[in-house]
């Protein structure tokens, strides 16, 4: 893959890749080249390192051994490998959720103490009291006579308990349609706490335990559901309560948001509890004065990956780029500090940063990098830590080497901040908030259906190409697209996330809906934990009526076109286990070495849970598969074909 255009369709990224090439800087695109050919056994999922009798590998063409030293077949090996990935992905999202629950509890405790003292000494507050009350009522708490801190304490404690729940069912399972709950109960996959499900799943994958691929996948789905309807959903809801529920907000995206004459601080990772404080610190008059003294015209905060999505959704902070742009942001030579928390942070960043004046700063005790400056974030000292990091950036501004600076011009406008609640209001108005207009749109055929397009980038594929081409095709065919993660950033850069995009890209029906309510044809719902917002929005559609009784009845489909992270696999599994047809791009799951497992995931699993996987390495084909599925669901509901098909 030598041509720059084959590496990325994004012009800003292409410019930085040219700079990298000219200056001999190493990026993940070079490293993926240097890995070729990648291990075929690994790609097909038939390499086993579970025990020390191995490593074993199965020849998928039947010319070598048919099983490992212990007797594990390709089916067992591939299913165990996949199950372990589900456990890892679920752990990442849910551990994020647990930290938010702890921050909520700390806020409630400090808030209560301050109230008694009549002072204010903490950095966080209960920002959305309404949502707090709603969630409290939903989980069976009495709200009368309690102030927000008392209630937050009760909600926080109950939610924290969900992570380690040993018996029974997660509380948010009740949000799913009754029919869906019954499907899970019948299969015995209603999730308990994520801690319980991860441990059980990992147990079943150790040598000599579960050797039945379907059973391994059922345990895997139970674990994934504990993430989607547990850890991730808790993260989303508690973040909204603590930091505020997003509302539609305008901002800008791409490397051009970095500023030539300001101190640039890039926040990268996933957890908004720190980055929200960094936003506040970047507006601190004392620090702004200090920046002026160092010759800068201001402090410019920009985000990468899902931390970007979090502070975009709530604060309108501009987005510098998605996963594959983290190295490219440093290559601009204009980043004073890149502060990182957890997940999706390339270990290569430090080596690259050392070629520039950029300081990489780690903040989480869970994510240290050798030789990298660490300023530990604690919830108790959130604002002080953020100020310290911003001060580091200001102090580093005079070290910027002008000749090394090259900020691409490209930026694009976007509107983000769509949630289950906002969609209610926008569609139905504040006084008659309802999903009726959306359901009517689908029933009448003006809208063909709904698609969730999510997930990462992967240097094995042309950066952003799959996201953009797939979403373009879906819009053309009157499918309303809901997005999260790096996929949303890709489509934002392409200009799809503004209301005006409807005229240019959407089919007539989708255009009519977008014009009537003033929304973009592609709605940005947030970070990857916010995929839970897609689930809850789908539940509202069912509740509204007219589109079936279960999530698997809705004319809807999901996709992760450029996935790379284990988290994407977990998301895929909780979508499929919730009844959603989900298409994966790239090298899917590394399961093709097992015919039986591949057949189960693409077919048999549907009989169990109503959803299934499809795999494709072509965005047009992905769109075709999703549209065919949506049309089949329309037929099954006895709906007329899409109005402008
Ligand atoms: O959690 S989409 S590359 S940033 S894993 Fe990572 Fe993938 Fe981006 Fe967000 Ni999600």
């Amino acid at each position: 893959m030598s041509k720059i255009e084959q590496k990325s369709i994004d012009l800003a990224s292409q410019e930085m890749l040219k700079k990298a090439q000219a200056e001999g800087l190493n990026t993940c695109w070079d490293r993926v080249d240097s890995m070729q050919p990648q291990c075929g056994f690994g790609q097909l999922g038939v390499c086993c390192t579970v025990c020390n009798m191995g490593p074993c590998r199965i020849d998928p063409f039947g010319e070598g051994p048919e099983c490992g030293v212990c007797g594990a077949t390709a089916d067992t090996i591939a299913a165990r490998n996949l199950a372990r990935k589900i456990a890892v992905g679920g752990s990442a999202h849910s551990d994020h959720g647990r930290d938010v629950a702890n921050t909520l509890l700390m806020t409630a405790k400090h808030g209560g103490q301050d109230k008694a003292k009549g002072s204010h000494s903490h950095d966080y507050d209960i920002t959305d009291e309404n949502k707090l009350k709603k969630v409290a009522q939903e989980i069976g708490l009495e709200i009368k006579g309690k102030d927000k801190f008392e209630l937050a304490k009760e909600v926080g404690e109950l939610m924290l308990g969900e992570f380690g729940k040993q018996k029974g069912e997660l509380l948010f399972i009740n949000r799913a349609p009754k029919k869906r709950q019954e499907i899970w109960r019948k299969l015995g996959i209603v999730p308990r706490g994520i801690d319980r499900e991860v441990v059980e799943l990992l147990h079943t994958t150790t040598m000599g335990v579960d050797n039945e691929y379907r059973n391994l996948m059922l345990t895997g789905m139970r674990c994934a559901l504990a993430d989607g309807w547990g850890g991730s959903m808790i993260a989303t809801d508690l973040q909204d309560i603590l930091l505020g529920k997003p509302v539609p907000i305008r901002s800008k995206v791409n490397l051009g948001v970095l500023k030539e004459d300001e101190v640039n601080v890039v926040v990268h990772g996933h957890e908004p509890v720190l980055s929200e404080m960094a936003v506040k610190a970047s507006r601190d008059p004392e620090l702004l004065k200090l920046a002026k003294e160092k010759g800068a015209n201001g402090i410019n905060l920009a985000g990468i990956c899902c931390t970007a999505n979090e502070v975009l959704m709530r604060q309108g902070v501009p987005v510098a780029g998605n996963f594959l742009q983290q190295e490219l942001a440093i290559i601009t030579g204009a980043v004073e500090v890149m502060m990182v928390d957890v997940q999706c942070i390339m270990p290569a960043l430090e080596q690259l940063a050392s070629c520039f004046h950029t300081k990489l700063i780690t903040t989480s005790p869970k994510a240290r990098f050798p030789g990298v400056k660490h300023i530990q974030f604690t919830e108790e000292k959130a604002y002080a830590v953020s100020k310290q990091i911003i001060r580091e950036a200001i102090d580093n501004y005079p070290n910027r080497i002008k000749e090394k600076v090259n900020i691409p011009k490209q930026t694009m406008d976007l509107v983000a901040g769509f949630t289950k609640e906002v969609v209610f209001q926008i569609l139905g108005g504040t006084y008659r908030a309802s999903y009726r207009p959306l359901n009517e749109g689908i029933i009448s055929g003006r809208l063909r259906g709904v698609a969730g397009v999510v997930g990462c980038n992967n240097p094995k594929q042309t950066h952003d190409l799959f996201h953009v081409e797939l979403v373009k095709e879906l819009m053309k065919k009157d499918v309303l697209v809901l997005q999260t993660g790096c996929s949303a950033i890709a489509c934002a850069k392409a200009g799809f996330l503004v209301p005006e995009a409807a005229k240019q890209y959407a089919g007539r029906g989708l255009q009519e809906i977008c014009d009537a309510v003033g929304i973009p044809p592609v709605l940005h719902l947030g970070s990857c934990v916010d995929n839970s917002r897609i689930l809850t929005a789908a539940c509202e559609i069912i509740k509204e009526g007219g589109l079936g009784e279960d999530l698997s009845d809705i004319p809807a489909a999901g996709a992760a076109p450029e996935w790379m992270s284990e988290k994407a696999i977990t998301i895929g599994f909780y979508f499929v286990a919730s009844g959603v047809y989900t298409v994966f791009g790239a090298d899917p799951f590394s399961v093709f070495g097992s015919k039986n497992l591949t057949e189960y995931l693409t077919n048999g699993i549907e009989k169990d849970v109503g959803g299934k996987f499809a795999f494709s390495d072509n965005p047009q084909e992905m769109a075709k598969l999703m549209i065919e599925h949506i049309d089949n669901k329309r037929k099954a509901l006895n709906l007329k074909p899409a109005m402008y098909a």
Side-chain angles (χ1 to χ4, degrees):
M1 196 203 286
S2 56
K3 284 204 192 109
I4 299 273
E5 293 73 24
Q6 284 173 336
K7 295 180 177 169
S8 176
I9 57 163
D10 171 43
L11 295 179
S13 298
Q14 288 179 4
E15 194 178 329
M16 288 304 94
L17 283 167
K18 276 181 205 150
K19 186 179 178 195
Q21 216 168 51
E23 295 177 12
L25 300 166
N26 192 268
T27 66
C28 63
W29 283 273
D30 302 307
R31 296 189 294 274
V32 87
D33 278 348
S34 71
M35 285 292 144
Q36 301 309 319
Q38 286 174 300
C39 171
F41 294 104
Q43 279 179 329
L44 296 171
V46 285
C47 169
C48 181
T49 58
V50 161
C51 83
N52 202 30
M53 291 190 284
C56 298
R57 61 210 176 353
I58 309 299
D59 186 335
F61 306 108
E63 281 163 21
E66 280 173 19
C67 62
V69 176
C70 71
T73 60
D75 298 341
T76 299
I77 292 171
R80 281 197 311 218
N81 288 341
L82 186 53
R84 286 180 171 212
K85 290 178 185 170
I86 298 173
V88 176
S91 304
H93 284 149
S94 297
D95 214 31
H96 165 169
R98 186 200 322 271
D99 282 348
V100 183
N102 278 322
T103 311
L104 183 76
L105 275 174
M106 183 210 74
T107 308
K109 189 174 139 214
H110 282 269
Q113 283 166 358
D114 288 349
K115 195 174 46 131
K117 280 190 259 155
S119 66
H120 182 91
S121 64
H122 53 283
D123 297 328
Y124 301 98
D125 200 352
I126 306 301
T127 308
D128 193 335
E129 217 179 320
N130 266 339
K131 182 148 184 176
L132 171 70
K133 284 184 186 158
K134 276 209 179 114
V135 171
Q137 278 174 318
E138 199 189 339
I139 56 180
L141 293 173
E142 176 57 69
I143 63 168
K144 243 206 230 138
K146 290 174 192 158
D147 75 10
K148 62 179 182 180
F149 297 115
E150 285 167 293
L151 201 55
K153 183 171 172 285
E154 287 183 26
V155 169
E157 275 167 358
L158 215 61
M159 288 288 115
L160 201 57
E162 289 291 271
F163 291 87
K165 196 175 226 172
Q166 300 297 311
K167 287 187 194 147
E169 301 180 353
L170 286 179
L171 291 165
F172 284 161
I173 292 304
N174 272 332
R175 289 181 170 178
K178 287 277 165 288
K179 207 168 161 191
R180 177 59 27 194
Q181 295 180 33
E182 283 317 311
I183 292 170
W184 292 335
R185 280 189 197 112
K186 234 165 102 191
L187 280 170
I189 60 168
V190 185
R192 299 151 298 184
I194 185 77
D195 298 354
R196 174 86 168 85
E197 299 305 353
V198 165
V199 170
E200 185 162 317
L201 181 57
L202 290 177
H203 174 196
T204 64
T205 67
T206 197
M207 190 265 147
V209 185
D210 199 355
N211 298 306
E212 213 267 306
Y213 63 86
R214 176 174 171 265
N215 201 46
L216 275 159
M217 291 300 96
L218 288 173
T219 316
M221 282 193 271
R222 192 176 196 182
C223 179
L225 289 170
D227 173 24
W229 295 83
S232 280
M233 205 171 267
I234 294 171
T236 297
D237 275 11
L238 298 193
Q239 282 173 186
D240 284 356
I241 290 170
L242 193 67
L243 308 169
K245 199 167 54 235
V247 291
I249 192 163
R250 276 194 175 267
S251 189
K252 289 201 181 291
V253 61
N254 216 342
L255 292 169
V257 303
L258 297 173
K259 300 219 167 114
E260 198 103 36
D261 59 344
E262 294 190 17
V263 175
N264 288 311
V265 180
V266 172
V267 291
H268 174 20
H270 281 77
E271 298 186 345
V273 279
L274 170 62
S275 46
E276 278 276 331
M277 286 298 138
V279 178
K280 209 165 138 192
S282 72
R283 295 164 187 166
D284 190 306
E286 180 201 328
L287 292 177
L288 286 166
K289 190 167 157 258
L290 192 65
K292 272 249 145 52
E293 282 165 19
K294 297 276 179 183
N297 278 336
I299 303 166
N300 179 43
L301 209 77
I304 296 265
C305 283
C306 279
T307 287
N309 287 323
E310 297 280 5
V311 286
L312 163 72
M313 292 281 283
R314 295 191 181 85
Q315 304 286 348
V317 169
V319 178
N322 49 10
F323 176 69
L324 283 187
Q325 288 178 288
Q326 55 186 291
E327 292 178 290
L328 308 180
I330 292 177
I331 292 173
T332 64
V335 176
E336 273 59 54
V337 158
M338 183 178 275
M339 60 181 262
V340 301
D341 49 80
V342 290
Q343 301 170 25
C344 300
I345 303 146
M346 288 191 192
L349 288 185
E350 169 55 9
Q351 211 273 322
L352 189 62
S354 70
C355 304
F356 296 87
H357 77 302
T358 306
K359 271 192 190 168
L360 183 67
I361 298 179
T362 55
T363 58
S364 167
K366 294 174 199 164
R368 300 284 293 258
F369 291 52
V372 168
K373 178 154 190 151
H374 183 75
I375 302 181
Q376 190 139 323
F377 168 72
T378 58
E379 285 83 0
E380 287 81 8
K381 292 188 190 143
Y383 193 55
V385 169
S386 303
K387 274 180 88 171
Q388 190 188 345
I389 295 171
I390 304 273
R391 207 172 274 126
E392 291 267 348
I394 297 169
D395 288 342
N396 198 21
Y397 182 73
N399 299 329
R400 201 191 273 184
I401 305 161
K402 274 219 171 77
E403 304 72 56
K404 281 195 165 186
V405 173
N406 184 346
I407 305 174
K409 294 277 167 290
Q410 284 80 10
T411 64
M412 183 56 79
D413 289 331
L414 75 120
V415 182
F418 293 92
T419 60
K420 175 198 82 176
E421 293 89 343
V422 159
V423 173
F424 252 124
Q425 276 157 17
I426 293 183
L427 290 170
T430 317
Y431 298 106
R432 47 176 192 87
S434 140
Y435 267 61
R436 201 68 236 149
L438 178 63
N439 284 30
E440 288 298 346
I442 298 172
I443 292 165
S444 69
R446 190 162 270 121
L447 278 183
R448 186 184 290 258
V450 182
V453 183
V454 307
C456 326
N457 302 128
N458 187 331
K460 294 199 281 189
Q461 294 165 273
T462 306
H463 172 222
D464 290 348
L465 176 77
F466 274 54
H467 295 298
V468 167
E469 289 304 313
L470 167 62
V471 170
K472 224 192 246 173
E473 202 55 32
L474 292 170
M475 284 189 284
K476 207 164 48 176
K477 296 282 163 48
D478 291 326
V479 177
L480 179 68
V481 182
L482 310 181
Q483 291 213 278
T484 60
C486 291
S487 185
I489 300 175
C491 290
K493 285 186 284 173
F496 299 167
L497 270 61
V498 285
E500 308 83 70
K503 220 176 213 73
Q504 197 176 345
Y505 300 105
R508 194 168 143 197
L510 177 58
Q511 218 178 96
E512 284 172 6
I513 301 267
C514 291
D515 285 352
V517 278
I519 52 168
V522 179
L523 302 181
H524 189 339
L525 273 74
S527 65
C528 284
V529 293
D530 292 332
N531 281 314
S532 63
R533 296 192 201 277
I534 300 182
L535 294 179
T536 47
C539 294
E540 294 300 337
I541 292 176
I542 291 298
K543 244 193 253 164
E544 191 57 53
L547 288 171
E549 291 168 22
D550 176 40
L551 302 175
S552 65
D553 295 332
I554 307 173
E562 299 179 23
W563 76 279
M564 64 87 202
S565 165
E566 291 146 324
K567 292 180 283 173
I569 293 180
T570 316
I571 294 165
F573 268 93
Y574 71 65
F575 267 88
V576 167
S578 300
V580 183
Y581 176 71
T582 305
V583 188
F584 268 62
D587 287 321
F589 288 177
S590 316
V591 293
F592 289 166
S594 159
K595 278 202 191 83
N596 287 328
L597 181 59
T598 307
E599 158 64 22
Y600 179 68
L601 294 176
T602 54
N603 192 14
I605 198 170
E606 194 177 22
K607 288 179 207 85
D608 284 334
V609 289
K612 63 177 178 179
F613 288 97
F615 305 122
S616 166
D617 58 4
N618 176 315
Q620 270 79 29
E621 193 196 27
M622 291 178 92
K624 201 170 144 251
L625 291 169
M626 292 166 80
I627 288 162
E628 264 170 25
H629 176 81
I630 287 172
D631 285 346
N632 286 339
K633 290 290 167 185
R634 295 189 65 85
K635 253 192 233 146
L637 286 167
N638 280 326
L639 301 177
K640 282 179 275 169
M643 202 180 267
Y644 306 110

